[in-house]
Amino acid sequence: MNSESRQKLGEIEATRHKVWDQVGTRARHRIATDQVEGERAVFSLIPGALARAILIAILVATPSLVVPSTGADTAQIVIVLSILAGFMTFIEYYGKYPSISEFRFAPPFNRSKFFALAAILVSLSMIVRGTTNPTEATEWVTQFGRGLGDAIDFPYSPVRLVVLMMPADADAALIDMVRIASGISYTLSLVMILYFVTLVRFLGWPARSGAFNVWINLPLFDPTGGGDVLHRLRRDAGLNVVLGSLLPFLIPAVVRAASGMIDPISITQPQTLIWTMTAWAFLPASMLMRGLAMSRIADMIEDKRRRAYAEGDALIAKGLQGA
């Protein structure tokens, strides 16, 4: 090999090393950039997760903060539960992907539930507070709740069933309080459902929030559970709608039938009254909302399948014509 050939080979080898150094530098730069962007994304989640955790903790503690007759033992338990609820909320929203919370990336599903729950808890807490420390605000909320309770208290209504759940020898003031609490909590839960139906039917939820990912918005739904996903979504949606519609009627009937084991008179405790009426109205409404949301998702998947099949048929027809 002459000197000229060796010189050319040396130039080629030097060029190769130069190119590899540039490629490696760019790759390392991309990795470092991705790491920095990932760290920034994680840190950007902290303020939102912390704010949600504080709001949930305050929400859990609201009845104890508003009602003046809360005992020391009850207050300590509520503080522990508030911290636990806030910590769980922070962990859930600090993660990039949800583990329990459904429709986290499809606002305002969870926001509407939070505001409805806050409205119920604050209203009932003010009503209970008005029995010992009346003010103009508590009086107004009590009168508003009494009007709603009287309006909904008709035969076979959920409010009537809650009132009939009480023992025959219950105090008239207690029955009136139960009617007021059930009326305002059930009405606010219905408002939450109507608001969500408006979002779905008239404002195009969840498509208006951008691209919708089924698997991260339904972390508890297993797509590999067997059977067609569309069929399973519709089945779960129907089950949630049925249970959400019937539970406000079934719970009082079950409590009344099991009055020998469950003492309805224990509802006289302020904290028990607030949380019992809240759970009775809010949980079935949440199930109904979940059923409506899953039905909407099933409709979106069906429409996407129909468009995909139509496009496939059009391509096949076009190919046959070209042949």
Side-chain angles (χ1 to χ4, degrees):
M1 182 180 293
N2 55 23
S3 60
E4 184 178 356
S5 299
R6 286 196 297 270
Q7 183 180 2
K8 289 183 178 179
L9 288 175
E11 292 176 354
I12 293 172
E13 190 68 21
T15 303
R16 182 184 300 171
H17 284 294
K18 184 178 180 180
V19 170
W20 276 109
D21 289 339
Q22 292 177 352
V23 172
T25 302
R26 287 196 295 267
R28 290 191 297 270
H29 179 70
R30 285 197 300 270
I31 294 173
T33 302
D34 292 341
Q35 291 176 348
V36 172
E37 290 178 353
E39 292 177 357
R40 289 177 179 176
V42 170
F43 282 112
S44 66
L45 296 173
I46 293 179
L50 185 60
R52 289 176 172 87
I54 294 174
L55 289 175
I56 291 296
I58 294 175
L59 183 63
V60 174
T62 294
S64 298
L65 295 174
V66 176
V67 178
S69 59
T70 303
D73 295 338
T74 303
Q76 293 176 3
I77 296 174
V78 170
I79 290 174
V80 174
L81 293 177
S82 300
I83 295 174
L84 180 61
F87 177 74
M88 293 178 63
T89 303
F90 179 81
I91 294 299
E92 179 69 20
Y93 280 89
Y94 177 73
K96 189 175 181 181
Y97 300 105
S99 58
I100 297 176
S101 178
E102 295 185 329
F103 300 104
R104 174 177 152 187
F105 300 96
F109 182 85
N110 290 323
R111 297 174 190 173
S112 60
K113 291 171 63 176
F114 173 81
F115 286 117
L117 179 60
I120 294 173
L121 285 175
V122 171
S123 300
L124 297 186
S125 300
M126 292 184 66
I127 291 172
V128 174
R129 180 184 177 87
T131 58
T132 55
N133 298 78
T135 61
E136 292 184 1
T138 59
E139 185 65 23
W140 185 86
V141 175
T142 301
Q143 293 300 326
F144 180 70
R146 179 174 285 110
L148 292 176
D150 293 338
I152 307 177
D153 187 13
F154 53 84
Y156 304 106
S157 69
V159 175
R160 175 65 62 86
L161 293 177
V162 171
V163 173
L164 294 176
M165 177 187 70
M166 303 303 296
D169 57 347
D171 186 63
L174 175 60
I175 294 178
D176 184 58
M177 179 62 67
V178 171
R179 182 183 292 108
I180 294 172
S182 60
I184 197 168
S185 58
Y186 191 71
T187 301
L188 290 175
S189 65
L190 289 179
V191 171
M192 178 182 71
I193 295 173
L194 292 176
Y195 171 72
F196 183 68
V197 170
T198 303
L199 290 177
V200 172
R201 297 299 180 185
F202 301 103
L203 299 180
W205 182 91
R208 70 188 192 113
S209 301
F212 182 85
N213 191 314
V214 177
W215 314 128
I216 65 174
N217 282 288
L218 289 172
L220 301 179
F221 181 80
D222 184 11
T224 62
D228 186 19
V229 173
L230 186 62
H231 172 72
R232 293 173 56 216
L233 280 173
R234 293 195 182 281
R235 181 193 62 193
D236 293 352
L239 180 62
N240 279 271
V241 169
V242 170
L243 289 178
S245 302
L246 294 181
L247 280 180
F249 300 88
L250 294 178
I251 292 175
V254 171
V255 173
R256 180 66 176 177
S259 58
M261 296 179 292
I262 302 175
D263 186 12
I265 204 67
S266 62
I267 206 172
T268 54
Q269 300 298 325
Q271 298 288 333
T272 306
L273 174 65
I274 293 171
W275 286 108
T276 300
M277 291 295 100
T278 300
W280 165 76
F282 180 77
L283 293 181
S286 298
M287 296 182 65
L288 187 57
M289 278 184 60
R290 185 175 186 270
L292 294 174
M294 296 182 75
S295 177
R296 169 64 174 166
I297 303 307
D299 292 340
M300 293 174 61
I301 294 176
E302 186 178 15
D303 292 340
K304 189 173 183 179
R305 284 185 179 180
R306 188 181 298 111
R307 290 195 300 268
Y309 293 155
E311 291 175 359
D313 293 340
L315 290 175
I316 293 174
K318 186 177 180 180
L320 293 176
Q321 290 178 358

